[in-house]
Amino acid sequence: MLKKLAFAAVIAGAITAIRKRSAGKAEADLWHEATSGPGAVSTPTAR
């Protein structure tokens, strides 16, 4: 029983890590799309 519980916890952790990585990539893609091209939004510049 304990082995099954530990296995389920490892699988859940792996799924969570994969989902976080996918979400980060999607956010980066959206940021790139919003800040490049002719219809880009203005972005603050460092001074």
Side-chain angles (χ1 to χ4, degrees):
M1 175 72 179
L2 188 58
K3 286 183 181 181
K4 287 182 180 180
L5 185 59
F7 182 72
V10 169
I11 295 299
I15 290 171
T16 301
I18 290 169
R19 292 182 75 186
K20 283 184 180 180
R21 184 186 308 169
S22 297
K25 184 175 181 342
E27 185 176 337
D29 289 345
L30 286 173
W31 179 257
H32 176 73
E33 183 179 334
T35 58
S36 63
V41 296
S42 61
T43 57
T45 56
R47 292 182 189 219

